[in-house]
Amino acid sequence: MEVENAGVMFQGVILGAIVFWILCSSYLNFTQKLRIFLQPWVNHHVEIGTDFVLQIQSYQHGFLDVFFSGLSCVVSVPFYTAFLPLLFWSGHGELARQMTLLMAFCDYIGNCVKDVLSAPRPPSPPVRRVTATKDEEDNALEYGLPSSHTLNTVCLSGYLLHYVLTHTQIQGPYVSYLGVSLACLFVALIGLGRIYLGMHSLIDILAGLVFGLGILAFWLAVDKQIDSFVISGLNVTSFWAALSFLLLFAYPTPELPTPSFEYHTAFNGVALGIVAGVQQTYHQFHHDAVPRLFSHDLTIPVFMGRMILGIPTILLVKFCSKALAKWIIPVVANTLGIPIKSSSYIKSEKIKQGGCLQKLLPKHEVFDVDTGIRFVQYAGLAWSVVDLVPSLFTYTNL
């Protein structure tokens, strides 16, 4: 009982600390003060680093354009979004949980730093910016420091290497040396590629490396405790829902709007959906004894069947979650009299204003319902990955 009370108290302390931070940062304007202090220094290094970017780009070649653009896609957010469900369905539940939550944590920290500093990317022109995909075009609209690709690659490749060396039969000093060497080479190629494509300055890459190593070290120290809490803790879903809600408000306001907050909202929803789903179905679908890929109970044809059934299902759930949120959230907001707007999801004529709460709020305080819609959409998608789809696998003997 004492342990349970201590756990509940600890959860309360965390949520209380975030609320305290939101109030203090809003009242004292920490974001703007920190930006005024650090932004000139970062801008100076971006400016003087332009010559280095141009020097790297002097080796311009069509093959390098394709190679580095493809490499950036492999470590992009859409790639991880598609890869992580397959990791769950292949029987590697612990690794999938940790990679998902680590990705959400990296995304939050990296984008917070980006929007606090609001530092520019290398000036284009003279720098040639290569945006071969829609995802890269969206990335170019974000601020520069730190490089999210570098930060995410350091954390996720480092954690994957740690997991392989500690949870499999692949052991030995030569294996460790080879694994570390390959991981370092991969990170170096990603960093070089971001400079070659004109997406980042050297200072952005170095910042991504430093933040990535710091986050990875922190995560390796707490991953067991986090996983234990997710699968067997008390008040997990309610605590995580409150945490996710508060993190939306704790996010800093950038100098100018960028897609970074949208990415954070999406992965914030993904983390909640995964945690809520795993908490409910761990002993059914995600425990350590579930069949794993290449075993007798989970062959490649069966896994292919899981993908054929699972991928359309989660896309359908994503569509339905979005449609449901687009209907419910504006109705609730209008009922409560909360002034709202929508930048892309809902037509302006369908949004009604007015109500008792609007009189209590500042005239400029209008809430964007797109944030809630995006959050619910990705939470529903993630929940279906670990709850609905595994249930379908059971019914279809996959």
Coordinates of all heavy atoms in Angstrom, one line a residue, residues 102 105-106 151 153-160 162 210-222:
L102 N 10.7 6.5 -27.0 CA 11.9 7.2 -27.2 C 11.7 8.2 -28.3 O 12.2 9.3 -28.3 CB 13.1 6.3 -27.4 CG 14.4 6.9 -27.7 CD1 14.8 7.9 -26.6 CD2 15.5 5.8 -27.9
F105 N 9.8 11.1 -27.2 CA 10.6 12.0 -26.3 C 11.6 12.8 -27.1 O 11.7 14.0 -26.9 CB 11.3 11.1 -25.3 CG 12.0 11.8 -24.2 CD1 11.3 12.7 -23.4 CD2 13.4 11.7 -24.0 CE1 11.9 13.4 -22.4 CE2 14.0 12.4 -23.0 CZ 13.3 13.2 -22.2
C106 N 12.2 12.1 -28.1 CA 13.2 12.9 -29.0 C 12.5 14.0 -29.7 O 13.0 15.1 -29.9 CB 13.9 11.9 -29.9 SG 15.0 10.7 -29.2
L151 N 19.6 13.9 -34.3 CA 19.2 13.6 -33.0 C 18.5 12.2 -32.9 O 18.8 11.4 -32.1 CB 18.3 14.7 -32.4 CG 18.0 14.7 -30.9 CD1 17.6 16.1 -30.5 CD2 16.8 13.8 -30.6
T153 N 18.5 9.8 -35.1 CA 19.4 8.7 -35.5 C 20.3 8.3 -34.4 O 20.5 7.1 -34.2 CB 20.2 9.1 -36.8 OG1 19.4 9.5 -37.8 CG2 21.1 7.9 -37.3
V154 N 20.9 9.2 -33.7 CA 21.8 8.9 -32.6 C 21.0 8.1 -31.5 O 21.4 7.0 -31.0 CB 22.3 10.2 -31.9 CG1 23.0 9.9 -30.6 CG2 23.3 10.8 -32.9
C155 N 19.8 8.6 -31.2 CA 19.0 7.9 -30.1 C 18.5 6.6 -30.5 O 18.7 5.6 -29.8 CB 17.8 8.8 -29.7 SG 18.3 10.3 -28.8
L156 N 17.9 6.5 -31.7 CA 17.2 5.2 -32.0 C 18.2 4.2 -32.5 O 18.1 3.0 -32.2 CB 16.2 5.5 -33.1 CG 15.1 6.4 -32.7 CD1 14.1 6.7 -33.8 CD2 14.3 5.8 -31.5
S157 N 19.2 4.5 -33.2 CA 20.2 3.5 -33.6 C 21.1 3.1 -32.4 O 21.4 1.9 -32.3 CB 21.2 4.1 -34.7 OG 21.9 5.2 -34.3
G158 N 21.3 4.1 -31.5 CA 22.1 3.7 -30.3 C 21.3 2.8 -29.4 O 21.8 1.8 -28.8
Y159 N 20.0 3.1 -29.3 CA 19.1 2.2 -28.4 C 18.9 0.8 -29.1 O 18.9 -0.2 -28.4 CB 17.8 2.8 -28.1 CG 17.0 2.0 -27.1 CD1 17.3 2.3 -25.7 CD2 16.1 1.0 -27.4 CE1 16.6 1.5 -24.8 CE2 15.5 0.3 -26.5 CZ 15.7 0.5 -25.1 OH 15.1 -0.2 -24.2
L160 N 18.8 0.8 -30.4 CA 18.6 -0.5 -31.1 C 19.9 -1.3 -30.9 O 19.8 -2.6 -30.7 CB 18.3 -0.2 -32.6 CG 18.2 -1.5 -33.4 CD1 17.0 -2.3 -33.0 CD2 18.0 -1.1 -34.9
H162 N 22.0 -1.1 -28.4 CA 22.1 -1.6 -27.0 C 21.1 -2.7 -26.8 O 21.5 -3.7 -26.1 CB 21.6 -0.4 -26.1 CG 21.2 -0.8 -24.7 ND1 22.2 -1.1 -23.8 CD2 20.0 -0.9 -24.2 CE1 21.5 -1.4 -22.6 NE2 20.2 -1.3 -22.9
V210 N 24.9 16.3 -29.8 CA 25.0 16.5 -28.3 C 23.7 16.1 -27.6 O 23.7 15.4 -26.6 CB 25.5 17.9 -28.0 CG1 25.3 18.2 -26.5 CG2 26.9 18.1 -28.5
F211 N 22.6 16.7 -28.1 CA 21.3 16.4 -27.5 C 21.0 14.9 -27.7 O 20.4 14.3 -26.7 CB 20.2 17.2 -28.2 CG 20.1 18.6 -27.7 CD1 20.6 19.7 -28.4 CD2 19.5 18.9 -26.4 CE1 20.5 21.0 -27.9 CE2 19.4 20.2 -25.9 CZ 19.9 21.2 -26.7
G212 N 21.3 14.3 -28.8 CA 21.0 12.9 -29.0 C 21.7 12.0 -28.0 O 21.2 11.1 -27.4
L213 N 23.0 12.3 -27.8 CA 23.8 11.5 -26.8 C 23.3 11.7 -25.4 O 23.2 10.7 -24.6 CB 25.3 11.9 -26.9 CG 26.0 11.5 -28.2 CD1 27.4 12.1 -28.2 CD2 26.1 9.9 -28.3
G214 N 22.9 12.9 -25.1 CA 22.3 13.2 -23.7 C 21.0 12.5 -23.5 O 20.8 11.9 -22.5
I215 N 20.1 12.5 -24.5 CA 18.8 11.8 -24.4 C 19.0 10.3 -24.3 O 18.4 9.6 -23.5 CB 17.9 12.2 -25.5 CG1 17.5 13.7 -25.4 CG2 16.7 11.4 -25.6 CD1 16.8 14.2 -26.6
L216 N 19.9 9.8 -25.1 CA 20.2 8.4 -25.1 C 20.7 7.9 -23.8 O 20.2 6.9 -23.3 CB 21.2 8.0 -26.2 CG 21.6 6.5 -26.3 CD1 20.4 5.6 -26.6 CD2 22.7 6.4 -27.4
A217 N 21.6 8.6 -23.2 CA 22.2 8.3 -21.9 C 21.1 8.3 -20.8 O 21.0 7.4 -20.0 CB 23.3 9.2 -21.5
F218 N 20.2 9.3 -20.9 CA 19.1 9.4 -19.9 C 18.2 8.2 -20.1 O 17.7 7.6 -19.1 CB 18.4 10.7 -20.1 CG 17.1 10.8 -19.4 CD1 17.0 11.0 -18.0 CD2 15.9 10.6 -20.1 CE1 15.8 11.0 -17.4 CE2 14.6 10.6 -19.4 CZ 14.6 10.9 -18.1
W219 N 17.8 7.9 -21.4 CA 16.9 6.8 -21.6 C 17.4 5.4 -21.2 O 16.6 4.6 -20.7 CB 16.5 6.8 -23.1 CG 15.2 6.1 -23.3 CD1 15.0 4.8 -23.7 CD2 13.9 6.6 -23.2 NE1 13.7 4.5 -23.8 CE2 12.9 5.6 -23.5 CE3 13.4 7.9 -22.8 CZ2 11.6 5.8 -23.4 CZ3 12.0 8.0 -22.7 CH2 11.1 7.0 -23.0
L220 N 18.7 5.2 -21.4 CA 19.3 3.9 -21.0 C 19.2 3.8 -19.5 O 19.2 2.7 -19.0 CB 20.7 3.8 -21.5 CG 20.8 3.7 -23.0 CD1 22.3 3.7 -23.4 CD2 20.1 2.4 -23.5
A221 N 19.2 4.9 -18.8 CA 19.1 4.8 -17.3 C 17.7 4.6 -16.8 O 17.6 4.1 -15.7 CB 19.7 6.1 -16.7
V222 N 16.7 4.9 -17.6 CA 15.3 4.8 -17.1 C 14.4 3.9 -17.9 O 13.2 3.8 -17.5 CB 14.7 6.2 -17.0 CG1 15.5 7.2 -16.1 CG2 14.5 6.8 -18.4

